[in-house]
Amino acid sequence: MSAAFFYALAGTGLFSIGLHALLVHRHLLRKILAINVMGSGVFLVLAAMATRNGIAILDPVPHAMIITGIVVAVAVAATALALVLMLKLTAETGHAVLPDSKEDKP
Amino acid sequence: MTPADYLAAALLLIGGLFFLAGTFGLLRFPDVFTRLHALTKADNVGLGLTVTGLAVQAESWAVAGKLLLIWLLVLLAGASVSYLIAEGALRRGGVHGSADRLDHRCPAGLGTDGTGLGGAGQWRSV
Amino acid sequence: MGLAWGALASGDLFKAIVLFIAFGLVMALVWVRLEAPDIALAEAAIGAGLTGALLLAAFVKLRITSPNVNVDITRSLCGIRSIPVLVSILFLAMALAYAIWPLPPDAAGLGEDVAANLDRSGVSNPVTAVLLNFRSYDTLLEVMVLLLALLGAWSLGMTTPRREAAPGLVLDTLSRLLAPLLILVAAYLLWAGAHAPGGAFQAGAMLAAVGVLMLLTGWQLPAALAALPLRLVLVAGPVTFMLLAVIPLLLEGRLLQLPPAWAGCLILIIETTATISIGTTLIALFLGAAPNKEDQQ
Amino acid sequence: MQTLFFTLALFLVLNPGAGMWRVLRGPTAADRMLAAQVFGTTAVAILLLLAEAAGSAALRDVALVFALLAAVTAVTVVAFVRRAWPNSGSGNDAG
């Protein structure tokens, strides 16, 4: 069992754990954590695949893709968190806007 | 192995020992403040020795300087953050590791007089 | 993996978030082990640092609106109903492992191609070359995604209940010492990105860390900068990137075709503006709501 | 020398592994933060050792970023904890 395979396996494990948590837990913040963990699993598989070709030259394309992916994951997490806060507010007040927010808000 | 290598190896090993001691302190000590005590020793001295050990055989002064910068950064941040953690723990009344119990017994007001001194007095009186 | 499990399964949400940050650190070490220091930098800066800060901010806001947030999270799917989920997840995990198993241990990736064309890209770090020259379309869209996320967060219009405690002397001094250092390191990472691990995203994350630090210690965006200047800074990176993408389209007929002679210089321009924009975008995401002038007064 | 570096790095990896117990168990948030701070410091030490062992100077940059961001993250956590349990502190510092 090569190191690359080991890391790829760990990646699938992470993905599965994340998916499990995503399905089982009901709290939305925890679901966001779960999605992030799933993403990490995918990145791990990608990076493990990048180390497969020999020892001399690493494949930089998956690396670049992973960096892109990490940034996109942060963007997704931030948007999701904003949505969660909004949902919470709606559930508590019954309004979709804050009571003190201005009318000219976009 | 040159003498510098021996020196570096010795320093690194002692640094490793300090980290080990810190981990033991983290696991074995009874409350937040004693753990803090153990950990700051481990962090600052352990990392300091590691950095010194690596700097002894660094290839250039720039590398040694960067190592030193990293250590100073960790020192600065560690000291400040330890202070903040201790202060927070004191305010919450987290003495002897059971903040929750204390909170239930005395839900408001424990250590909230705002000054560190008053908090410390509270700490002694508990 | 155990760490991830702990992060996701622990009853206390605050504990879960701390564990998640620790998980990010471990991931960064794993990237180092996989010889991907670029990703390690990105993971440490963005994955662990900023995602953690965002999660904590959301946690605190939820806690302020409803103090019992820690109570209702432990209620999750349990007992007999969780068994089918568990079984299907195990099945999926085995299927994934089975899918990975037959992959050949040696596969010809694109490493040789990238190495062969590296001298035409204007930079010597292969990952930067891929990000900003060979596949810069992805990166352009990625910057756009960040901007779109910010627009989404803004259009939800959550104003944060800002109740800044006085930062205190220690926190204040620490942030005053750290902020210039962070900016310096951001600039260093940006510059080093051409030939060593580093680059726009890592540097942008460092800038965002400066902003988070300053916001936490009670700094507020001056009202004069809040409206138009902020927005201009936010779009400066994407617009520069787009311009440099479109100009080759007009001149040579190909989108994003950087002329090899100028590529290094152009990449540096793109990266610098992108860094500033990414940093600002991340800070704005951390803040959560569009700053409007009424709030400032 | 190489083996010493690698052995020490491996040994240092085990340390936070043990410290993880404190994060899981630690009765207060302060304990968890403490343990998280140790993770950061240990990670810096590991990275420095690996940088020397693997001879890649880039890892030293990673360590630098780690050191900075561990500080920022810790400050974030502390500041938020202070805000999240506002009844437990009156705002003005001892310092």
Side-chain angles (χ1 to χ4, degrees), chain A residues 5 7 12 14 16 19-20 24-25 27 30 33 36 43 47 52-54 58-59 63-64 68 71 74 79 86 88 92 98 102, chain C residues 4 8 10 20 31 33 35 46 55 62 66 73 77 86 92-93 100-101 104-107 109-111 142 149 156 159 294:
Chain A
F5 180 71
Y7 280 109
T12 60
L14 274 183
S16 308
L19 187 59
H20 177 253
V24 162
H25 288 295
H27 196 268
R30 202 164 290 237
L33 278 184
N36 270 306
F43 300 150
R52 274 186 312 152
N53 49 350
L58 283 171
D59 195 350
H63 289 185
T68 310
V71 176
V74 171
T79 316
M86 200 68 214
K88 184 88 180 170
E92 280 188 354
L98 274 174
K102 309 289 183 292
Chain C
L8 294 173
S10 64
F20 182 76
W31 297 129
R33 183 67 194 74
E35 293 169 57
I46 304 178
L55 285 167
L62 282 181
S66 66
I73 51 142
L77 202 62
L86 200 61
L92 178 73
I100 288 176
W101 185 264
D106 287 321
L110 293 166
E142 169 186 4
L156 286 171
T159 45
E294 291 85 351

Short mmCIF file of all heavy atoms in Angstrom, two decimals, chain A residues 5 7 12 14 16 19-20 24-25 27 30 33 36 43 47 52-54 58-59 63-64 68 71 74 79 86 88 92 98 102, chain C residues 4 8 10 20 31 33 35 46 55 62 66 73 77 86 92-93 100-101 104-107 109-111 142 149 156 159 294:
data_model
loop_
_atom_site.label_atom_id
_atom_site.label_comp_id
_atom_site.label_asym_id
_atom_site.label_seq_id
_atom_site.Cartn_x
_atom_site.Cartn_y
_atom_site.Cartn_z
N PHE A 5 -1.86 6.05 -1.84
CA PHE A 5 -3.12 5.34 -1.64
C PHE A 5 -3.64 5.54 -0.23
O PHE A 5 -4.84 5.73 -0.01
CB PHE A 5 -2.93 3.86 -1.95
CG PHE A 5 -4.18 3.06 -1.78
CD1 PHE A 5 -5.20 3.20 -2.70
CD2 PHE A 5 -4.34 2.22 -0.70
CE1 PHE A 5 -6.37 2.49 -2.55
CE2 PHE A 5 -5.51 1.51 -0.54
CZ PHE A 5 -6.52 1.65 -1.47
N TYR A 7 -3.20 8.10 1.71
CA TYR A 7 -3.79 9.44 1.87
C TYR A 7 -5.13 9.53 1.14
O TYR A 7 -6.07 10.17 1.62
CB TYR A 7 -2.83 10.51 1.37
CG TYR A 7 -1.77 10.84 2.37
CD1 TYR A 7 -0.45 10.47 2.16
CD2 TYR A 7 -2.08 11.49 3.55
CE1 TYR A 7 0.53 10.75 3.08
CE2 TYR A 7 -1.11 11.77 4.49
CZ TYR A 7 0.20 11.41 4.25
OH TYR A 7 1.16 11.67 5.18
N THR A 12 -11.12 9.66 1.44
CA THR A 12 -12.48 9.12 1.33
C THR A 12 -13.11 8.96 2.71
O THR A 12 -14.30 9.17 2.89
CB THR A 12 -12.48 7.77 0.61
OG1 THR A 12 -11.68 6.87 1.36
CG2 THR A 12 -11.95 7.88 -0.78
N LEU A 14 -12.53 10.84 5.34
CA LEU A 14 -12.96 12.18 5.75
C LEU A 14 -14.27 12.55 5.06
O LEU A 14 -15.19 13.09 5.69
CB LEU A 14 -11.90 13.21 5.37
CG LEU A 14 -10.78 13.44 6.35
CD1 LEU A 14 -9.88 14.53 5.82
CD2 LEU A 14 -11.34 13.86 7.68
N SER A 16 -16.55 10.58 3.94
CA SER A 16 -17.67 9.82 4.49
C SER A 16 -18.09 10.36 5.85
O SER A 16 -19.29 10.49 6.13
CB SER A 16 -17.29 8.35 4.61
OG SER A 16 -16.78 7.89 3.38
N LEU A 19 -19.99 13.47 5.33
CA LEU A 19 -21.33 13.20 4.79
C LEU A 19 -22.24 12.69 5.90
O LEU A 19 -23.41 13.11 6.01
CB LEU A 19 -21.23 12.19 3.66
CG LEU A 19 -22.51 11.95 2.88
CD1 LEU A 19 -22.99 13.25 2.27
CD2 LEU A 19 -22.30 10.92 1.81
N HIS A 20 -21.69 11.81 6.70
CA HIS A 20 -22.48 11.26 7.82
C HIS A 20 -22.95 12.39 8.73
O HIS A 20 -24.13 12.49 9.08
CB HIS A 20 -21.63 10.25 8.59
CG HIS A 20 -22.32 9.69 9.79
ND1 HIS A 20 -21.97 10.04 11.06
CD2 HIS A 20 -23.35 8.82 9.89
CE1 HIS A 20 -22.75 9.40 11.91
NE2 HIS A 20 -23.60 8.66 11.23
N VAL A 24 -26.71 13.51 9.63
CA VAL A 24 -27.22 13.16 10.96
C VAL A 24 -27.52 14.39 11.80
O VAL A 24 -28.55 14.48 12.46
CB VAL A 24 -26.22 12.22 11.66
CG1 VAL A 24 -26.48 12.20 13.15
CG2 VAL A 24 -26.36 10.82 11.10
N HIS A 25 -26.63 15.36 11.77
CA HIS A 25 -26.81 16.48 12.67
C HIS A 25 -27.86 17.45 12.14
O HIS A 25 -28.03 17.60 10.94
CB HIS A 25 -25.48 17.21 12.87
CG HIS A 25 -24.53 16.44 13.69
ND1 HIS A 25 -24.75 16.14 15.01
CD2 HIS A 25 -23.35 15.85 13.38
CE1 HIS A 25 -23.75 15.43 15.47
NE2 HIS A 25 -22.88 15.23 14.50
N HIS A 27 -28.12 20.72 13.53
CA HIS A 27 -27.73 22.12 13.66
C HIS A 27 -27.01 22.58 12.40
O HIS A 27 -26.16 21.88 11.86
CB HIS A 27 -26.82 22.30 14.87
CG HIS A 27 -26.69 23.72 15.27
ND1 HIS A 27 -25.69 24.51 14.78
CD2 HIS A 27 -27.44 24.49 16.07
CE1 HIS A 27 -25.83 25.73 15.28
NE2 HIS A 27 -26.89 25.73 16.08
N ARG A 30 -23.24 23.06 12.29
CA ARG A 30 -22.53 21.79 12.24
C ARG A 30 -22.56 21.21 10.83
O ARG A 30 -21.62 20.58 10.38
CB ARG A 30 -23.17 20.84 13.23
CG ARG A 30 -22.27 19.74 13.64
CD ARG A 30 -22.82 19.14 14.87
NE ARG A 30 -22.69 20.04 15.98
CZ ARG A 30 -22.05 19.71 17.09
NH1 ARG A 30 -21.51 18.53 17.19
NH2 ARG A 30 -21.97 20.54 18.08
N LEU A 33 -19.80 22.90 9.05
CA LEU A 33 -18.54 22.23 9.39
C LEU A 33 -18.39 20.94 8.60
O LEU A 33 -17.32 20.64 8.06
CB LEU A 33 -18.52 21.89 10.88
CG LEU A 33 -18.13 22.95 11.91
CD1 LEU A 33 -18.10 22.32 13.28
CD2 LEU A 33 -16.79 23.50 11.56
N ASN A 36 -17.37 21.44 5.10
CA ASN A 36 -15.96 21.78 5.00
C ASN A 36 -15.07 20.55 5.13
O ASN A 36 -14.07 20.42 4.42
CB ASN A 36 -15.60 22.80 6.08
CG ASN A 36 -15.78 24.21 5.58
OD1 ASN A 36 -15.23 24.57 4.56
ND2 ASN A 36 -16.56 25.00 6.28
N PHE A 43 -10.08 17.26 -1.31
CA PHE A 43 -8.77 17.84 -1.60
C PHE A 43 -7.66 16.83 -1.33
O PHE A 43 -6.67 16.75 -2.07
CB PHE A 43 -8.53 19.08 -0.74
CG PHE A 43 -9.52 20.17 -0.96
CD1 PHE A 43 -9.85 21.05 0.05
CD2 PHE A 43 -10.12 20.33 -2.19
CE1 PHE A 43 -10.77 22.04 -0.16
CE2 PHE A 43 -11.05 21.32 -2.40
CZ PHE A 43 -11.37 22.18 -1.38
N ALA A 47 -4.84 15.63 -3.88
CA ALA A 47 -3.41 15.81 -3.64
C ALA A 47 -2.69 14.47 -3.67
O ALA A 47 -1.56 14.37 -4.17
CB ALA A 47 -3.18 16.49 -2.29
N ARG A 52 1.20 10.74 -7.44
CA ARG A 52 1.36 9.39 -7.95
C ARG A 52 2.48 9.23 -8.95
O ARG A 52 3.12 8.20 -9.01
CB ARG A 52 0.05 8.92 -8.58
CG ARG A 52 -0.91 8.33 -7.57
CD ARG A 52 -2.08 7.76 -8.27
NE ARG A 52 -2.63 8.71 -9.24
CZ ARG A 52 -3.28 8.36 -10.32
NH1 ARG A 52 -3.44 7.11 -10.60
NH2 ARG A 52 -3.75 9.27 -11.14
N ASN A 53 2.70 10.29 -9.77
CA ASN A 53 3.63 10.07 -10.87
C ASN A 53 5.08 10.17 -10.42
O ASN A 53 5.66 11.24 -10.40
CB ASN A 53 3.35 11.03 -12.02
CG ASN A 53 3.25 12.43 -11.51
OD1 ASN A 53 3.19 12.63 -10.31
ND2 ASN A 53 3.26 13.39 -12.39
N GLY A 54 5.63 9.04 -10.05
CA GLY A 54 7.04 8.99 -9.73
C GLY A 54 7.36 9.84 -8.52
O GLY A 54 6.52 10.10 -7.68
N LEU A 58 6.23 16.65 -9.18
CA LEU A 58 4.87 16.66 -8.67
C LEU A 58 3.98 17.34 -9.70
O LEU A 58 4.43 18.20 -10.45
CB LEU A 58 4.80 17.43 -7.36
CG LEU A 58 5.31 16.69 -6.13
CD1 LEU A 58 5.38 17.63 -4.97
CD2 LEU A 58 4.39 15.53 -5.83
N ASP A 59 2.73 16.93 -9.68
CA ASP A 59 1.79 17.52 -10.62
C ASP A 59 1.22 18.79 -9.99
O ASP A 59 0.46 18.72 -9.03
CB ASP A 59 0.68 16.51 -10.89
CG ASP A 59 -0.12 16.91 -12.11
OD1 ASP A 59 0.11 18.04 -12.57
OD2 ASP A 59 -0.94 16.12 -12.57
N HIS A 63 -2.65 20.75 -7.39
CA HIS A 63 -2.36 21.66 -6.29
C HIS A 63 -3.05 22.99 -6.50
O HIS A 63 -3.69 23.53 -5.59
CB HIS A 63 -0.85 21.86 -6.16
CG HIS A 63 -0.13 20.66 -5.63
ND1 HIS A 63 1.20 20.66 -5.35
CD2 HIS A 63 -0.59 19.42 -5.34
CE1 HIS A 63 1.54 19.46 -4.90
NE2 HIS A 63 0.49 18.71 -4.91
N ALA A 64 -2.92 23.51 -7.70
CA ALA A 64 -3.58 24.79 -7.99
C ALA A 64 -5.09 24.65 -7.85
O ALA A 64 -5.76 25.53 -7.31
CB ALA A 64 -3.22 25.23 -9.41
N THR A 68 -7.62 26.76 -5.35
CA THR A 68 -8.88 27.34 -5.80
C THR A 68 -10.04 26.81 -4.98
O THR A 68 -10.91 27.56 -4.53
CB THR A 68 -9.10 27.00 -7.29
OG1 THR A 68 -7.92 27.33 -8.00
CG2 THR A 68 -10.25 27.76 -7.85
N VAL A 71 -10.34 28.28 -1.45
CA VAL A 71 -10.90 29.64 -1.43
C VAL A 71 -12.41 29.60 -1.69
O VAL A 71 -13.19 30.28 -1.02
CB VAL A 71 -10.17 30.52 -2.46
CG1 VAL A 71 -10.79 31.89 -2.52
CG2 VAL A 71 -8.72 30.63 -2.09
N VAL A 74 -14.23 28.58 1.35
CA VAL A 74 -14.42 29.67 2.31
C VAL A 74 -15.58 30.56 1.87
O VAL A 74 -16.42 30.95 2.69
CB VAL A 74 -13.14 30.50 2.44
CG1 VAL A 74 -13.40 31.74 3.25
CG2 VAL A 74 -12.08 29.69 3.12
N THR A 79 -21.08 32.44 2.83
CA THR A 79 -22.45 32.67 2.37
C THR A 79 -23.43 31.83 3.17
O THR A 79 -24.49 32.31 3.60
CB THR A 79 -22.57 32.32 0.88
OG1 THR A 79 -21.44 32.87 0.21
CG2 THR A 79 -23.83 32.87 0.30
N MET A 86 -29.59 34.44 8.86
CA MET A 86 -30.86 34.99 8.39
C MET A 86 -32.02 34.08 8.76
O MET A 86 -33.08 34.54 9.21
CB MET A 86 -30.77 35.13 6.87
CG MET A 86 -31.74 36.08 6.29
SD MET A 86 -31.33 37.73 6.81
CE MET A 86 -32.96 38.41 6.93
N LYS A 88 -32.17 31.96 11.19
CA LYS A 88 -32.37 32.03 12.63
C LYS A 88 -33.22 33.25 12.98
O LYS A 88 -34.18 33.17 13.75
CB LYS A 88 -31.00 32.14 13.29
CG LYS A 88 -31.04 32.13 14.77
CD LYS A 88 -30.98 30.72 15.26
CE LYS A 88 -31.04 30.71 16.77
NZ LYS A 88 -31.22 29.37 17.26
N GLU A 92 -37.05 33.41 14.52
CA GLU A 92 -37.32 33.99 15.83
C GLU A 92 -38.28 35.17 15.76
O GLU A 92 -39.08 35.38 16.66
CB GLU A 92 -36.02 34.43 16.47
CG GLU A 92 -35.30 33.25 17.09
CD GLU A 92 -34.12 33.67 17.89
OE1 GLU A 92 -33.81 34.88 17.87
OE2 GLU A 92 -33.51 32.81 18.52
N LEU A 98 -34.22 42.59 9.58
CA LEU A 98 -34.03 43.05 10.94
C LEU A 98 -34.96 44.21 11.22
O LEU A 98 -35.22 45.03 10.35
CB LEU A 98 -32.59 43.52 11.12
CG LEU A 98 -31.56 42.47 11.48
CD1 LEU A 98 -30.20 43.12 11.48
CD2 LEU A 98 -31.86 41.89 12.83
N LYS A 102 -32.65 49.48 7.57
CA LYS A 102 -33.21 50.60 6.82
C LYS A 102 -34.04 50.09 5.63
O LYS A 102 -33.82 49.00 5.12
CB LYS A 102 -32.08 51.47 6.30
CG LYS A 102 -31.10 51.88 7.38
CD LYS A 102 -31.73 52.88 8.32
CE LYS A 102 -30.74 53.34 9.35
NZ LYS A 102 -30.37 52.29 10.30
N ALA C 4 -11.46 14.88 12.94
CA ALA C 4 -12.63 15.33 12.21
C ALA C 4 -13.90 14.78 12.84
O ALA C 4 -14.90 15.48 13.00
CB ALA C 4 -12.53 14.89 10.75
N LEU C 8 -16.93 16.89 14.51
CA LEU C 8 -18.30 16.86 14.03
C LEU C 8 -19.25 16.25 15.03
O LEU C 8 -20.44 16.53 15.02
CB LEU C 8 -18.37 16.09 12.72
CG LEU C 8 -17.62 16.81 11.60
CD1 LEU C 8 -17.57 15.94 10.38
CD2 LEU C 8 -18.29 18.12 11.30
N SER C 10 -18.84 16.17 18.54
CA SER C 10 -18.84 16.63 19.92
C SER C 10 -20.11 17.41 20.21
O SER C 10 -20.67 18.09 19.36
CB SER C 10 -17.62 17.49 20.18
OG SER C 10 -17.70 18.64 19.40
N PHE C 20 -12.32 22.04 14.93
CA PHE C 20 -12.24 22.25 13.49
C PHE C 20 -11.00 23.05 13.13
O PHE C 20 -10.31 22.75 12.14
CB PHE C 20 -13.50 22.96 12.99
CG PHE C 20 -13.50 23.15 11.51
CD1 PHE C 20 -13.76 22.09 10.68
CD2 PHE C 20 -13.22 24.39 10.96
CE1 PHE C 20 -13.75 22.26 9.31
CE2 PHE C 20 -13.22 24.56 9.61
CZ PHE C 20 -13.48 23.49 8.78
N TRP C 31 -0.58 18.52 4.22
CA TRP C 31 -0.17 19.07 2.93
C TRP C 31 1.35 19.16 2.86
O TRP C 31 1.94 18.90 1.82
CB TRP C 31 -0.76 20.46 2.72
CG TRP C 31 -2.25 20.49 2.65
CD1 TRP C 31 -3.06 21.31 3.36
CD2 TRP C 31 -3.10 19.67 1.86
NE1 TRP C 31 -4.37 21.04 3.07
CE2 TRP C 31 -4.42 20.05 2.14
CE3 TRP C 31 -2.87 18.65 0.94
CZ2 TRP C 31 -5.51 19.44 1.54
CZ3 TRP C 31 -3.96 18.06 0.34
CH2 TRP C 31 -5.25 18.45 0.64
N ARG C 33 3.37 17.19 4.33
CA ARG C 33 3.81 15.82 4.13
C ARG C 33 3.64 15.40 2.67
O ARG C 33 4.43 14.66 2.13
CB ARG C 33 3.00 14.93 5.06
CG ARG C 33 3.35 13.48 5.06
CD ARG C 33 4.73 13.24 5.63
NE ARG C 33 5.18 11.89 5.32
CZ ARG C 33 5.58 11.52 4.11
NH1 ARG C 33 5.60 12.38 3.11
NH2 ARG C 33 5.98 10.27 3.89
N GLU C 35 4.10 17.20 0.23
CA GLU C 35 4.96 18.07 -0.56
C GLU C 35 4.18 19.13 -1.32
O GLU C 35 4.40 19.37 -2.49
CB GLU C 35 5.81 17.26 -1.54
CG GLU C 35 6.84 16.40 -0.81
CD GLU C 35 7.48 15.41 -1.75
OE1 GLU C 35 8.04 15.87 -2.74
OE2 GLU C 35 7.40 14.20 -1.49
N ILE C 46 -6.27 30.36 5.13
CA ILE C 46 -7.68 30.50 4.80
C ILE C 46 -8.51 29.45 5.51
O ILE C 46 -9.46 29.75 6.22
CB ILE C 46 -7.89 30.42 3.27
CG1 ILE C 46 -7.02 31.46 2.59
CG2 ILE C 46 -9.34 30.64 2.94
CD1 ILE C 46 -7.11 31.44 1.11
N LEU C 55 -16.72 31.11 11.50
CA LEU C 55 -17.61 30.24 12.27
C LEU C 55 -17.82 30.80 13.67
O LEU C 55 -18.95 30.80 14.19
CB LEU C 55 -17.01 28.84 12.36
CG LEU C 55 -17.11 27.99 11.10
CD1 LEU C 55 -16.22 26.78 11.21
CD2 LEU C 55 -18.54 27.57 10.88
N LEU C 62 -25.23 33.92 16.83
CA LEU C 62 -26.34 33.05 17.18
C LEU C 62 -26.56 33.04 18.67
O LEU C 62 -27.68 33.03 19.16
CB LEU C 62 -26.05 31.62 16.71
CG LEU C 62 -26.22 31.32 15.24
CD1 LEU C 62 -25.90 29.87 14.99
CD2 LEU C 62 -27.63 31.62 14.82
N SER C 66 -29.90 34.06 20.64
CA SER C 66 -30.59 33.08 21.48
C SER C 66 -29.55 32.38 22.34
O SER C 66 -28.75 31.61 21.84
CB SER C 66 -31.33 32.07 20.63
OG SER C 66 -30.42 31.30 19.91
N ILE C 73 -28.39 21.96 19.98
CA ILE C 73 -27.58 21.30 18.97
C ILE C 73 -27.34 19.84 19.28
O ILE C 73 -27.03 19.06 18.40
CB ILE C 73 -26.21 21.98 18.81
CG1 ILE C 73 -25.56 22.12 20.17
CG2 ILE C 73 -26.31 23.27 18.08
CD1 ILE C 73 -24.11 21.89 20.12
N LEU C 77 -30.18 13.33 15.09
CA LEU C 77 -30.76 12.05 14.71
C LEU C 77 -30.06 10.94 15.49
O LEU C 77 -28.86 10.80 15.45
CB LEU C 77 -30.55 11.84 13.21
CG LEU C 77 -31.47 10.88 12.51
CD1 LEU C 77 -32.89 11.36 12.61
CD2 LEU C 77 -31.04 10.77 11.07
N LEU C 86 -26.09 5.21 8.61
CA LEU C 86 -24.74 4.72 8.87
C LEU C 86 -24.36 3.65 7.86
O LEU C 86 -23.27 3.66 7.28
CB LEU C 86 -24.69 4.15 10.29
CG LEU C 86 -23.31 4.04 10.91
CD1 LEU C 86 -22.68 5.41 11.00
CD2 LEU C 86 -23.40 3.41 12.27
N LEU C 92 -21.04 3.64 0.92
CA LEU C 92 -20.47 4.65 0.05
C LEU C 92 -18.96 4.71 0.24
O LEU C 92 -18.19 4.80 -0.73
CB LEU C 92 -21.08 6.01 0.36
CG LEU C 92 -20.51 7.15 -0.46
CD1 LEU C 92 -20.98 7.08 -1.89
CD2 LEU C 92 -20.86 8.49 0.14
N ALA C 93 -18.51 4.65 1.51
CA ALA C 93 -17.08 4.72 1.78
C ALA C 93 -16.37 3.56 1.11
O ALA C 93 -15.30 3.74 0.50
CB ALA C 93 -16.83 4.71 3.28
N ILE C 100 -10.93 3.89 -5.80
CA ILE C 100 -9.55 4.37 -5.78
C ILE C 100 -8.56 3.23 -5.94
O ILE C 100 -7.50 3.39 -6.53
CB ILE C 100 -9.30 5.15 -4.47
CG1 ILE C 100 -10.03 6.47 -4.55
CG2 ILE C 100 -7.84 5.38 -4.23
CD1 ILE C 100 -9.94 7.27 -3.31
N TRP C 101 -8.92 2.07 -5.43
CA TRP C 101 -8.03 0.92 -5.39
C TRP C 101 -7.36 0.61 -6.73
O TRP C 101 -6.14 0.50 -6.80
CB TRP C 101 -8.79 -0.29 -4.85
CG TRP C 101 -7.94 -1.49 -4.66
CD1 TRP C 101 -7.78 -2.52 -5.51
CD2 TRP C 101 -7.11 -1.76 -3.53
NE1 TRP C 101 -6.91 -3.44 -4.99
CE2 TRP C 101 -6.48 -2.99 -3.77
CE3 TRP C 101 -6.82 -1.09 -2.34
CZ2 TRP C 101 -5.59 -3.58 -2.88
CZ3 TRP C 101 -5.95 -1.67 -1.44
CH2 TRP C 101 -5.34 -2.89 -1.71
N PRO C 104 -3.84 3.18 -11.15
CA PRO C 104 -2.43 2.78 -11.25
C PRO C 104 -1.55 3.64 -10.35
O PRO C 104 -1.81 4.83 -10.19
CB PRO C 104 -2.11 3.04 -12.73
CG PRO C 104 -3.10 4.04 -13.17
CD PRO C 104 -4.34 3.76 -12.37
N PRO C 105 -0.54 3.02 -9.75
CA PRO C 105 0.32 3.79 -8.84
C PRO C 105 1.14 4.84 -9.55
O PRO C 105 1.50 5.85 -8.95
CB PRO C 105 1.21 2.73 -8.21
CG PRO C 105 1.18 1.60 -9.17
CD PRO C 105 -0.15 1.62 -9.83
N ASP C 106 1.45 4.63 -10.80
CA ASP C 106 2.19 5.64 -11.55
C ASP C 106 1.34 6.13 -12.70
O ASP C 106 0.98 5.36 -13.58
CB ASP C 106 3.49 5.05 -12.11
CG ASP C 106 4.50 4.84 -11.01
OD1 ASP C 106 4.56 5.71 -10.13
OD2 ASP C 106 5.19 3.82 -11.04
N ALA C 107 0.98 7.37 -12.62
CA ALA C 107 0.20 7.93 -13.71
C ALA C 107 0.93 9.15 -14.22
O ALA C 107 1.49 9.92 -13.45
CB ALA C 107 -1.19 8.32 -13.21
N GLY C 109 1.01 12.52 -15.01
CA GLY C 109 0.20 13.70 -14.80
C GLY C 109 0.62 14.78 -15.78
O GLY C 109 1.24 14.52 -16.80
N LEU C 110 0.27 15.98 -15.41
CA LEU C 110 0.64 17.10 -16.26
C LEU C 110 1.94 17.74 -15.79
O LEU C 110 2.31 18.80 -16.25
CB LEU C 110 -0.48 18.14 -16.24
CG LEU C 110 -1.77 17.65 -16.90
CD1 LEU C 110 -2.92 18.57 -16.55
CD2 LEU C 110 -1.58 17.59 -18.40
N GLY C 111 2.60 17.09 -14.81
CA GLY C 111 3.79 17.67 -14.24
C GLY C 111 4.85 17.98 -15.27
O GLY C 111 5.44 19.07 -15.27
N GLU C 142 -12.61 32.22 -9.74
CA GLU C 142 -12.54 32.06 -8.30
C GLU C 142 -12.63 33.42 -7.59
O GLU C 142 -13.34 33.58 -6.60
CB GLU C 142 -11.23 31.37 -7.96
CG GLU C 142 -10.87 31.36 -6.52
CD GLU C 142 -9.50 30.79 -6.34
OE1 GLU C 142 -8.83 30.50 -7.35
OE2 GLU C 142 -9.08 30.66 -5.20
N ALA C 149 -19.92 35.79 -3.35
CA ALA C 149 -20.27 35.41 -1.98
C ALA C 149 -20.49 36.65 -1.14
O ALA C 149 -21.43 36.72 -0.34
CB ALA C 149 -19.15 34.56 -1.39
N LEU C 156 -28.25 39.76 1.90
CA LEU C 156 -29.07 39.25 2.99
C LEU C 156 -29.27 40.32 4.05
O LEU C 156 -30.18 40.22 4.87
CB LEU C 156 -28.42 38.02 3.61
CG LEU C 156 -28.53 36.77 2.78
CD1 LEU C 156 -27.67 35.67 3.36
CD2 LEU C 156 -29.96 36.33 2.69
N THR C 159 -27.33 43.14 9.59
CA THR C 159 -26.42 44.04 10.30
C THR C 159 -26.04 43.36 11.61
O THR C 159 -26.88 42.79 12.29
CB THR C 159 -27.08 45.39 10.61
OG1 THR C 159 -28.37 45.13 11.10
CG2 THR C 159 -27.15 46.25 9.38
N GLU C 294 -25.53 55.18 7.66
CA GLU C 294 -26.37 55.42 8.83
C GLU C 294 -25.80 54.71 10.06
O GLU C 294 -25.87 55.23 11.16
CB GLU C 294 -27.80 54.94 8.57
CG GLU C 294 -28.56 55.77 7.55
CD GLU C 294 -28.29 55.30 6.14
OE1 GLU C 294 -27.38 54.46 5.96
OE2 GLU C 294 -28.97 55.75 5.22
#
